[in-house]
């Protein structure tokens, strides 16, 4: 059974940093692109970014709203995905989800499995 | 590329046929997915490549369209279908989501 479990959320002051983790199980983690998606309270979904797999150089893509502040990484030996968030702003307050892209072709970029989400609150 | 969903909300009754639209600001071929989200839960994939039903999703859900105009149709709304629905662009970064359509009980 595919499982994605986020951890590391909590309360952080503006300007601070936080690192989220996503533990994956039940599938060959190293084969898949992995995404972070967030949802501010009462708002819609916002795509945060993606890490490609080893075969595609572990390259990353980011939304403009987080580029330069957030870094996505992965450790295939630990079946884990990470989101390092720096210079946090109040508008980064959201539930953060990790998601698995089905495959590496454009036609397979849909997110077929999601974690349960973890709340990050940026407030003084 | 922007995705515009309409309507942003709708009220419908059990058994109704419901149609949600998603319009892309430029052509995206068939690289679009639809998700369902219930309150306090993670999104769930319904449809990918515009019209392919994800395994395990009831056949009352269907998707159509290509280029710039897409639709998600629920042929006969069931009580468990009251939720918010999102479209997502899949072939150009950033992988934008539409603003969502909340389907409420009439």
């Amino acid at each position: 059974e595919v499982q994605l479990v986020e951890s590391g959320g909590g309360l952080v002051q503006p300007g601070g940093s936080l690192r989220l983790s996503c533990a994956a199980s039940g599938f060959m983690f190293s084969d898949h692109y992995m995404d972070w998606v967030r949802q501010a309270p009462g708002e819609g979904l916002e795509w945060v970014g993606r890490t490609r797999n080893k075969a595609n150089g572990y390259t990353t893509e980011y939304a403009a709203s987080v580029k330069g502040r957030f870094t996505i990484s992965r450790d295939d030996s630990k079946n884990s995905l990470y989101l390092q968030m720096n210079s946090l702003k109040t508008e980064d307050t959201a539930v953060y989800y990790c998601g698995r892209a089905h495959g590496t072709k454009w036609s397979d970029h849909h997110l077929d499995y999601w974690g349960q989400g973890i709340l990050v609150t940026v407030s003084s | 590329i922007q995705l515009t969903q309409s309507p942003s909300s709708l009220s419908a009754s059990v058994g109704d046929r419901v149609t949600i639209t998603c319009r892309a600001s430029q052509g995206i071929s068939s690289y679009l997915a639809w998700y369902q989200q219930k309150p306090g839960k993670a999104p769930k994939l319904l449809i990918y490549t515009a019209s392919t039903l994800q395994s395990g999703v009831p056949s009352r859900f269907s998707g159509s369209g290509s280029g710039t105009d897409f639709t998600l149709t629920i042929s006969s709304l069931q009580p468990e279908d009251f939720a918010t629905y999102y479209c997502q662009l899949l072939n150009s970064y950033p992988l934008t989501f539409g603003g969502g359509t909340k389907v409420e009980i009439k």
Side-chain angles (χ1 to χ4, degrees), chain A residues 44-81:
Chain A
L45 300 174
E46 180 186 14
W47 181 80
V48 171
R50 164 167 290 180
T51 175
R52 296 181 180 87
N53 58 8
K54 180 180 180 180
N56 288 278
Y58 294 129
T59 53
T60 52
E61 303 285 347
Y62 296 96
S65 58
V66 307
K67 196 168 186 177
R69 300 188 299 123
F70 288 13
T71 301
I72 297 173
S73 61
R74 62 192 294 163
D75 185 338
D76 290 349
S77 68
K78 296 181 178 179
N79 289 342
S80 291
L81 173 72

Side-chain angles (χ1 to χ4, degrees), chain A residues 1-21:
Chain A
E1 178 193 9
V2 172
Q3 282 198 311
L4 298 170
V5 180
E6 300 94 341
S7 60
L11 175 64
V12 60
Q13 292 188 336
S17 298
L18 203 62
R19 188 199 198 203
L20 303 184
S21 299

Side-chain angles (χ1 to χ4, degrees), chain A residues 39 50 52 106 110-111 115, chain B residues 35 37 42 48 90-91 93:
Chain A
Q39 187 169 37
R50 164 167 290 180
R52 296 181 180 87
W106 284 116
H110 49 280
L111 301 181
Chain B
Y35 302 90
Q37 187 182 34
Y48 58 95
L90 296 178
N91 72 335
Y93 294 105

